[in-house]
Amino acid sequence: MMDGGNTALNATLVNRIDLGRELAIVRVQPDAGEIPEFEPGQFLELALPSPPRPEVELATAQLAAGEQPRRARMTRRAYSLASAKVDRKVAEFYIVLVERGRLTPRIWPLVEGDRLWMDTQPRGHFTLDDVPRGSDVLAIATGTGVAPYVSMLRTYRATGRWRRFVLVHGVRVAADLGYRSELQQMAAQSSDFLYLPVLSREPANSGWTGLRGRAQVALDEPAVRDMLAASRSTGSTHVLLCGNPEMISQTQAKLTAQGFVPHTRQQPGNLHVERYW
Ligand SMILES: Cc1cc2nc3c(=O)[nH]c(=O)nc-3n(C[C@H](O)[C@H](O)[C@H](O)COP(=O)(O)OP(=O)(O)OC[C@H]3O[C@@H](n4cnc5c(N)ncnc54)[C@H](O)[C@@H]3O)c2cc1C
Ligand SMILES: NC(=O)c1ccc[n+]([C@@H]2O[C@H](COP(=O)([O-])OP(=O)(O)OC[C@H]3O[C@@H](n4cnc5c(N)ncnc54)[C@H](OP(=O)(O)O)[C@@H]3O)[C@@H](O)[C@H]2O)c1
């Protein structure tokens, strides 16, 4: 969590698509004209001025004549890029409203044309850089944790970057399945991509015929079991986990017991994680 810094607003919200009350796809255009080169899986920070604090207001009121007040402090948070690597004019993000959060309730009222701050430096190591070309990839997300995988799929689908890419997306109800139609369409068009949405709170009578429970139930799906089993002798499967930190700890414990090795910059492995909080 990042608070602070005196940073001028340098970007414009150019488009938002609300998926219900609490989820939005937000597109942001930098004044600089282009976002810097990034690798799918990286994030950019977004920020807005923090709400005024009474003690700062008082100090400002007491400034001597001619003294400049400090510029507003900013509340900054990280958001994974969902855009394809070639899309450099506008950065796309998939954001959930955290009702008691410090930044997202202030992003929510923004409309097209409103200003915000967007970092000029993409960051993070949750990328395919350390996943060899031609590997099997099992990508598991909860909620908005699907965003980095959308970027990877938009960028590398049908390029031979992986042998097979299985995406497991765990959300509460079907309405929370952001990017569902795009992902379904990709899966219908590509034999190397399998999309497995999993719903934890979908009403029993809704007509949903897919997987129910938490994301981990997908580990028992035949295609996933085969991928994991094959990896035991070859190490050929890389697992990516993104989103809810408890999902990550629980899945990581299960997979390390099966021989998967957490990837760090010091020790290469085949289990890569991105905790959102
Ligand atoms: C590398 C990275 C990438 C991220 N990418 C995204 C993204 O693409 N989309 C996105 O929506 N968020 C993403 N996040 C989370 C994001 O940075 C903020 O933490 C989130 O938007 C909440 O900010 P806030 O100021 O509103 O709440 P805060 O005041 O920071 O948080 C209040 C509390 O809410 C909980 N919380 C925080 N984030 C979430 C969440 N996403 N879902 C449920 N509970 C949460 C935590 O318990 C936290 O302590 C990412 C975080 C990291 C570290
Ligand atoms: N999306 C909504 O409809 C909604 C509604 C009200 C408030 N909110 C608020 O929005 C924020 C984010 O909500 P979200 O729905 O995007 O994210 P979330 O709460 O992390 O839930 C997304 C998915 O992750 C699952 N999950 C939770 N813990 C898990 C674990 N240990 N292992 C595997 N899966 C796990 C959830 O299952 P479970 O259903 O079993 O928890 C759900 O299927 C929260 O602050 C929440 O309070 C969201």
Side-chain angles (χ1 to χ4, degrees):
M1 183 182 300
M2 295 137 280
D3 287 293
N6 294 327
T7 317
L9 304 184
N10 63 358
T12 304
L13 189 153
V14 287
N15 179 249
R16 68 178 284 168
I17 302 170
D18 288 279
L19 322 174
R21 210 176 60 82
E22 286 156 336
L23 287 167
I25 292 170
V26 170
R27 298 195 181 104
V28 180
Q29 186 170 37
D31 295 348
E34 260 202 344
I35 53 170
E37 192 169 349
F38 69 94
E39 188 52 36
Q42 288 196 297
F43 62 87
L44 281 173
E45 287 176 7
L46 298 178
L48 285 168
S50 308
R53 287 175 297 166
E55 67 276 18
V56 177
E57 299 256 291
L58 184 63
T60 304
Q62 291 168 345
L63 286 175
E67 207 177 331
Q68 289 297 312
R70 287 183 60 206
R71 274 192 284 158
R73 291 176 64 81
M74 305 290 276
T75 305
R76 300 155 59 136
R77 298 287 183 268
Y79 295 96
S80 303
L81 283 146
S83 332
K85 188 180 167 79
V86 291
D87 289 342
R88 303 271 300 281
K89 296 279 179 229
V90 171
E92 181 174 307
F93 304 99
Y94 181 40
I95 305 181
V96 65
L97 170 65
V98 175
E99 295 223 354
R100 284 193 285 266
R102 294 190 60 181
L103 183 63
T104 51
R106 304 186 39 254
I107 288 180
W108 239 246
L110 297 184
V111 294
E112 290 162 15
D114 280 345
R115 304 277 295 155
L116 68 168
W117 178 85
M118 179 166 69
D119 201 354
T120 52
Q121 179 59 55
R123 296 169 202 276
H125 302 285
F126 187 67
T127 67
L128 297 174
D129 280 354
D130 295 320
V131 175
R133 194 175 171 82
S135 303
D136 283 338
V137 177
L138 171 60
I140 304 182
T142 57
T144 52
V146 75
Y149 307 141
V150 171
S151 177
M152 290 173 191
L153 286 158
R154 285 175 166 178
T155 302
Y156 293 123
R157 186 175 60 99
T159 65
R161 182 64 187 79
W162 46 73
R163 194 177 76 93
R164 201 159 163 68
F165 192 110
V166 177
L167 169 59
V168 176
H169 189 194
V171 300
R172 298 175 183 196
V173 294
D176 292 348
L177 283 174
Y179 298 97
R180 182 182 179 186
S181 54
E182 182 176 339
L183 294 167
Q184 279 174 328
Q185 204 179 342
M186 284 184 193
Q189 290 167 351
S190 340
S191 55
D192 65 348
F193 172 49
L194 177 64
Y195 171 51
L196 291 175
V198 186
L199 307 184
S200 57
R201 304 191 197 185
E202 180 74 0
N205 59 358
S206 73
W208 174 255
T209 54
L211 297 173
R212 287 176 181 270
R214 285 181 159 183
Q216 294 90 322
V217 301
L219 298 178
D220 295 323
E221 283 300 288
V224 177
R225 268 211 322 254
D226 291 351
M227 213 186 211
L228 297 177
S231 193
R232 262 169 234 144
S233 50
T234 61
S236 58
T237 301
H238 281 249
V239 179
L240 279 61
L241 305 174
C242 186
N244 184 308
E246 285 175 18
M247 176 281 283
I248 291 174
S249 316
Q250 291 164 7
T251 313
Q252 192 166 4
K254 203 165 173 170
L255 292 175
T256 49
Q258 293 182 26
F260 280 83
V261 177
H263 181 79
T264 63
R265 294 182 80 187
Q266 292 73 32
Q267 193 203 347
N270 54 358
L271 189 47
H272 311 253
V273 306
E274 185 82 293
R275 289 183 175 79
Y276 271 8
W277 69 94

